[in-house]
Amino acid sequence: MNRLHRYPSVLRAALFSGLLLVAAMIFTACGSGDSPPANNAGIADDGHEEEGFVHLTAHELEEFEIDVETAVPGTLTVAVMFPGEVRINQDRFAHIVPRIAGFVHSTNKSVGDVVRAGEVLAVLDSRDLADIKADYLAGLERLELAEATFERESALYQKKISSEQEYLEARQALAEVRIALRSARQKLLALGFSEAYIEVLPEQDEHALVHYELMASLSGVVIEKHISQGEALSADAEAFAIADLRTVWVDLNVFQNDLDLVREGQQVDIVTTSGQLRDRGTIQYVRPIVGEETRTAIARIVLGNEDGRWKPGLFVNGSIAVDDIEVPLIVPRSALITMDDQTVVFVQTDEGFAPQAVTVGRENETQAEITQGLEPGALYVARGGFALKAEFEKGELSDGHSY
């Protein structure tokens, strides 16, 4: 039998009333602050935070790289973004062709090699070249003989020993030899041989007459190679391609509706689509013709590339400032933090740092206009807000928090 059933009903009622009174006294004692309360959300055991605020020492502000600034009006630069691509600077690009038919005797360079202007890329064996050189050397011999004949006939004519006809024939023969020699010389110059090379050509051995050195026409990097040893090449075959990548072109695609916003001389902030590379350049050329298929024009920037970071083929975006607007309140975009699907700015008060919900107006890549939630003169965190967010969320474990 239950022990309470041993007592009369009145006694049982009195016993229950006493138990309830004792429980009420204990609950009142706990609520009166006699015993320490449990740690609520947002309050750290080390006293570092109060509910809704984060307290940091000067050392911690420096350690977390937190910059506090005063909210003030400012100028917002309005920019328009254009897609584009990094391309080879065609003014510093060369296709290397033999200019004469022949067989590849040897190759000295390959793709990726850095070359200097005048450096030998490959050597060809060419019968056509041998014929041109032979014509030039024969012309030298003919010239020497024709000059001697003319001098003799000139002397005899002056002494009335030979006829005027013989004198004129000797002079004509000399002129024809000079013309033929000049033609052979021009062929050698057209093949890329220098004046100095042509002057010493008679001193070369016979084996050198068939060798044609294919040389780089500019300094740069070999980006294409289309020959191999023993291959037969035509005079117009593209053997190598060389690009001077110390500068590159950045071609931006400008839609026809935006053409009035773009002009030569404007500064452009260029960034790769991955965001890894950034630079600034000047528009040097705006194509005056709109493409029939793309309906876009090209704005071209010549970008320095001494370190080789900008690879032709990279996709980029170019930001061009088109207007400046005075706004009542402006902050750097680094001050904007997302918390619970809201955009907030951490403000500094006497109690510490706290997130403040704000409304963002117009913005660009680096700055944003604040239309609501932040007053002029307020102290706010311009940089380092993510560190404060992490500290704040350590104590905000309860649901339904609003800013």
Side-chain angles (χ1 to χ4, degrees):
M1 178 182 294
N2 192 304
R3 293 182 179 180
L4 292 178
H5 292 171
R6 298 177 182 176
Y7 301 96
S9 60
V10 175
L11 183 58
R12 290 200 303 268
L15 182 59
F16 276 113
S17 298
L19 291 175
L20 290 175
L21 179 61
V22 172
M25 293 175 63
I26 295 175
F27 179 81
T28 302
C30 291
S32 65
D34 294 339
S35 59
N39 186 28
N40 295 324
I43 302 178
D45 293 336
D46 57 2
H48 202 61
E49 299 180 12
E50 296 177 5
E51 185 174 0
F53 295 95
V54 178
H55 291 280
L56 296 178
T57 65
H59 174 73
E60 289 170 329
L61 290 174
E62 182 178 355
E63 180 183 0
F64 292 148
E65 298 181 349
I66 295 175
D67 294 334
V68 178
E69 295 184 4
T70 303
V72 295
T75 302
L76 181 69
T77 299
V78 179
V80 180
M81 190 78 70
F82 299 99
E85 184 179 355
V86 180
R87 300 183 184 276
I88 293 173
N89 184 342
Q90 294 295 324
D91 293 334
R92 302 295 302 163
F93 177 77
H95 293 287
I96 309 300
V97 298
R99 305 184 189 182
I100 195 167
F103 294 87
V104 180
H105 177 78
S106 61
T107 60
N108 302 333
K109 299 296 179 180
S110 189
V111 174
D113 289 344
V114 178
V115 298
R116 295 184 177 276
E119 194 170 354
V120 177
L121 305 176
V123 177
L124 307 183
D125 290 336
S126 174
R127 288 181 300 224
D128 294 342
L129 178 62
D131 292 340
I132 294 174
K133 288 183 176 180
D135 288 343
Y136 176 76
L137 295 176
L140 291 176
E141 297 292 337
R142 294 190 189 99
L143 178 62
E144 185 178 354
L145 180 59
E147 287 176 340
T149 301
F150 175 73
E151 289 176 1
R152 185 183 70 250
E153 290 297 330
S154 179
L156 292 174
Y157 174 69
Q158 290 177 357
K159 294 178 181 181
K160 307 298 182 181
I161 297 176
S162 65
S163 65
E164 182 180 3
Q165 179 67 26
E166 291 174 325
Y167 166 75
L168 294 176
E169 289 177 355
R171 190 172 72 173
Q172 181 179 356
L174 176 60
E176 291 175 352
V177 169
R178 285 175 175 171
I179 292 172
L181 180 62
R182 184 178 180 183
S183 176
R185 185 183 186 88
Q186 289 175 342
K187 290 180 180 179
L188 292 173
L189 291 173
L191 292 175
F193 294 107
S194 65
E195 294 280 359
Y197 177 87
I198 296 174
E199 290 299 324
V200 300
L201 184 58
E203 303 174 7
Q204 294 183 357
D205 57 38
E206 294 184 357
H207 294 288
L209 296 179
V210 300
H211 286 170
Y212 176 71
E213 293 180 340
L214 195 59
M215 294 183 292
S217 57
L218 82 164
S219 300
V221 179
V222 177
I223 61 173
E224 294 180 21
K225 177 183 177 182
H226 304 291
I227 66 173
S228 56
Q229 189 168 350
E231 181 181 356
L233 294 181
S234 60
D236 58 354
E238 183 179 328
F240 294 89
I242 298 175
D244 183 355
L245 298 178
R246 290 176 296 181
T247 60
V248 293
W249 284 352
V250 176
D251 286 351
L252 301 180
N253 298 316
V254 182
F255 298 100
Q256 55 184 349
N257 294 336
D258 298 324
L259 282 175
D260 292 340
L261 303 175
V262 179
R263 61 186 181 276
E264 295 178 2
Q266 283 180 312
Q267 294 291 306
V268 184
D269 291 317
I270 303 168
V271 58
T272 56
T273 52
S274 64
Q276 295 179 341
L277 297 179
R278 294 178 179 271
D279 208 336
R280 169 169 284 197
T282 303
I283 296 178
Q284 298 190 4
Y285 166 75
V286 178
R287 187 181 180 186
I289 301 175
V290 175
E292 294 183 1
E293 296 182 0
T294 61
R295 308 311 301 167
T296 61
I298 291 177
R300 178 167 295 156
I301 301 99
V302 180
L303 201 62
N305 190 37
E306 292 289 343
D307 54 7
R309 296 183 307 157
W310 295 94
K311 310 293 184 184
L314 287 175
F315 290 108
V316 300
N317 289 314
S319 177
I320 301 176
V322 296
D323 196 9
D324 291 329
I325 301 175
E326 298 297 326
V327 296
L329 202 58
I330 191 171
V331 300
R333 291 190 62 174
S334 57
L336 305 178
I337 306 296
T338 301
M339 296 179 66
D340 293 343
D341 297 327
Q342 286 184 296
T343 299
V344 304
V345 171
F346 274 94
V347 295
Q348 185 179 28
T349 66
D350 294 339
E351 291 80 11
F353 293 97
Q356 176 65 48
V358 295
T359 302
V360 179
R362 292 162 292 191
E363 57 185 321
N364 57 25
E365 283 191 333
T366 59
Q367 297 173 307
E369 175 191 14
I370 302 299
T371 59
Q372 289 183 359
L374 191 64
E375 297 296 329
L379 297 177
Y380 71 97
V381 176
R383 281 162 291 276
F386 286 101
L388 277 176
K389 175 184 177 182
E391 289 294 314
F392 184 84
E393 289 180 342
K394 289 179 181 178
E396 295 300 327
L397 302 179
S398 60
D399 296 332
H401 184 79
S402 61
Y403 311 114

